[in-house]
Amino acid sequence: MQPYKPDAVIVDRGSEGSVVHGNLQRALPDVPFVVVDDPEEYAQLDSGPDPLAHGKQHLLLMPHKGEFLKKCPGSDGQVCCNYFVINFASNCPMDCTYCYLQDYLAENPALKIFSNVDDLLRESQELLGRHREFFFRIGTGEITDSLALDSLIGFAAETVPFFAEQRNVLLELKTKSDCVEGLLGLDPKERVVVSWSMNPQRVIDAHESLTASFEERLDAAVRCQEAGYKLGFHFDPMVEYPGWETDYRTMVERTFACIDARRVAWLSMGVLRTTPSLKRIMRRRFPDTRILSGEQILCPDGKMRYFQPLRVHMYRKMLEWIRQASPTVFVYLCMETREVWDQVFGFFPSCEKELGERLTAGLGD
Ligand code: SF4
């Protein structure tokens, strides 16, 4: 995977003394750093015909205003897994055709890193301390990739030791990169899951620009496993095309041939999801993409998905291959209805708390 290198780092006046600023300066000695009063305004100057692509070319370093920790919003009517998210950054240096951030961050596409990591840790400490009776799952990959920038910003080194010491949390670092060097010397103490969004190389080549290859992701997972991390895999978004069954089956078999299934905390499946507005952006930014050629229907939560029978067929096939490789690994569906859960697994969680508890069974005091 090509390491990300911005054209410039735009620094908020006041963030120059932060740990992240020092890490960026060490990692990017030949990149210009510009200190300004308003990085966002500065970055919007001359954003050109594709503000999303322009936004990825500069790295903004600024404090986060407001709360870092939020409950994952989930999706109306879908089974939710009771997840919290920490936003330490906004937007992503990679460029997947289907990325929902293209729509979600359309008005604010700058690639931002937040400099006040101390506030993030303080807020986490307060939340975890206030609810010792509750076991949290917290992820950092909702509006960015958890690790793609880690070799530049050193976020893992700041946060993993903190979460490793907590007794009521599992931190998930979700990525499509192979940037795990910063994790390998740390002791996660069974409190950190490093997870990969996985797709066959054919899908990566066509739709996951600037990400690590399938084999690079798998190799990074093996290194994390050897370093003591739990692993997660998200077969999401699954894309239907002629020959998908062979590719996805091979992907599942290859994954389980390389890793120790006993170290897998969870595995999720989800099909391609879009919205009408995301489709318009995708057609404009990727006019030759064939990912939108399959039929999708608008669901009650406002997202477009393949027809339910096709989704159920795809999940059942995947589950069959996963079960052949590992009869016991925990598998769940991402953003799917109770009907689909029932048809795939023969049950559905009665509430989000139940699914959250299944995901963290055996952990905590
Ligand atoms: S890696 Fe994730 S966040 Fe980054 S562009 Fe792809 S889908 Fe979006």
Side-chain angles (χ1 to χ4, degrees):
M1 179 184 170
Q2 281 289 331
Y4 169 72
K5 188 174 177 186
D7 292 345
V9 180
I10 319 294
V11 183
D12 171 78
R13 201 179 304 286
S15 291
E16 306 100 305
S18 65
V19 173
V20 182
H21 183 263
N23 291 341
L24 282 167
Q25 283 198 313
R26 274 187 294 281
L28 300 167
D30 54 349
V31 170
F33 280 57
V34 185
V35 180
V36 299
D37 288 323
D38 188 340
E40 288 185 271
E41 188 182 55
Y42 186 92
Q44 276 169 10
L45 299 174
D46 186 27
S47 60
D50 187 351
L52 286 156
H54 177 85
K56 292 173 189 278
Q57 287 165 5
H58 301 89
L59 201 54
L60 274 55
L61 179 65
M62 54 197 290
H64 179 66
K65 298 182 181 110
E67 293 183 340
F68 276 99
L69 262 160
K70 294 189 174 69
K71 178 105 164 41
C72 175
S75 205
D76 282 353
Q78 316 301 305
V79 176
C80 168
C81 58
N82 213 12
Y83 196 68
F84 284 75
V85 292
I86 289 177
N87 294 324
F88 72 95
S90 178
N91 215 340
C92 170
M94 301 177 277
D95 203 11
C96 302
T97 312
Y98 54 76
C99 179
Y100 87 106
L101 297 181
Q102 297 173 98
D103 189 19
Y104 188 72
L105 298 175
E107 302 301 320
N108 192 358
L111 178 48
K112 295 178 218 163
I113 301 295
F114 299 124
S115 53
N116 46 336
V117 180
D118 290 355
D119 292 337
L120 183 160
L121 297 179
R122 194 176 311 118
E123 201 184 310
S124 304
Q125 180 83 69
E126 282 169 14
L127 181 77
L128 298 174
R130 244 193 346 265
H131 301 283
R132 283 286 176 215
E133 75 292 352
F134 186 77
F135 199 94
F136 289 84
R137 287 170 65 234
I138 299 179
T140 60
E142 189 208 15
I143 59 167
T144 189
D145 183 279
S146 295
L147 292 172
L149 295 168
D150 202 61
S151 60
L152 307 184
I153 64 176
F155 180 74
E158 296 301 312
T159 50
V160 167
F162 166 81
F163 284 99
E165 292 301 329
Q166 309 302 315
R167 65 176 202 263
N168 58 334
V169 70
L170 208 49
L171 176 71
E172 180 177 26
L173 302 173
K174 191 194 295 191
T175 190
K176 285 194 182 85
S177 80
D178 60 353
C179 305
V180 297
E181 286 303 321
L183 295 173
L184 302 182
L186 308 172
D187 182 357
K189 299 184 180 173
E190 299 289 315
R191 286 291 177 261
V192 183
V193 178
V194 192
S195 67
W196 278 265
S197 300
M198 289 299 224
N199 250 319
Q201 191 59 45
R202 193 192 304 259
V203 176
I204 294 173
D205 289 342
H207 306 299
E208 298 182 354
S209 180
L210 307 176
T211 65
S213 69
F214 172 77
E215 288 295 333
E216 286 171 334
R217 294 180 207 183
L218 198 51
D219 180 63
V222 171
R223 285 189 287 151
C224 283
Q225 175 188 289
E226 288 167 354
Y229 289 87
K230 292 171 184 284
L231 304 180
F233 293 100
H234 301 282
F235 297 136
D236 188 356
M238 290 166 56
V239 179
E240 195 262 349
Y241 56 89
W244 77 270
E245 299 195 13
T246 305
D247 288 354
Y248 278 83
R249 181 176 192 156
T250 304
M251 175 185 72
V252 169
E253 289 172 354
R254 175 88 186 119
T255 301
F256 280 97
C258 293
I259 53 99
D260 180 351
R262 293 168 301 181
R263 296 298 298 160
V264 176
W266 51 68
L267 194 155
S268 78
M269 303 187 289
V271 295
L272 178 69
R273 300 174 287 283
T274 61
T275 61
S277 58
L278 176 59
K279 276 188 163 183
R280 281 193 292 278
I281 295 171
M282 290 165 69
R283 288 204 176 94
R284 191 180 72 238
R285 296 195 66 228
F286 304 98
D288 297 329
T289 186
R290 301 181 65 183
I291 202 169
L292 298 174
S293 54
E295 194 169 8
Q296 289 189 308
I297 55 160
L298 191 59
C299 300
D301 65 348
K303 293 191 170 58
M304 304 185 77
R305 298 173 172 84
Y306 301 137
F307 274 119
Q308 182 170 307
L310 175 58
R311 280 155 41 211
V312 170
H313 170 72
M314 293 175 77
Y315 293 139
R316 281 180 173 164
K317 295 304 288 185
M318 283 290 283
L319 189 61
E320 180 187 325
W321 303 323
I322 292 165
R323 285 286 168 250
Q324 283 167 5
S326 171
T328 54
V329 68
F330 186 85
V331 185
Y332 70 98
L333 297 178
C334 187
M335 289 194 188
E336 274 297 357
T337 60
R338 287 177 171 76
E339 293 77 28
V340 172
W341 268 82
D342 204 19
Q343 289 180 65
V344 175
F345 295 110
F347 78 94
F348 55 85
S350 56
C351 63
E352 60 184 47
K353 189 163 174 284
E354 183 190 335
L355 179 54
E357 284 173 358
R358 281 176 181 241
L359 283 158
T360 54
L363 296 165
D365 293 340

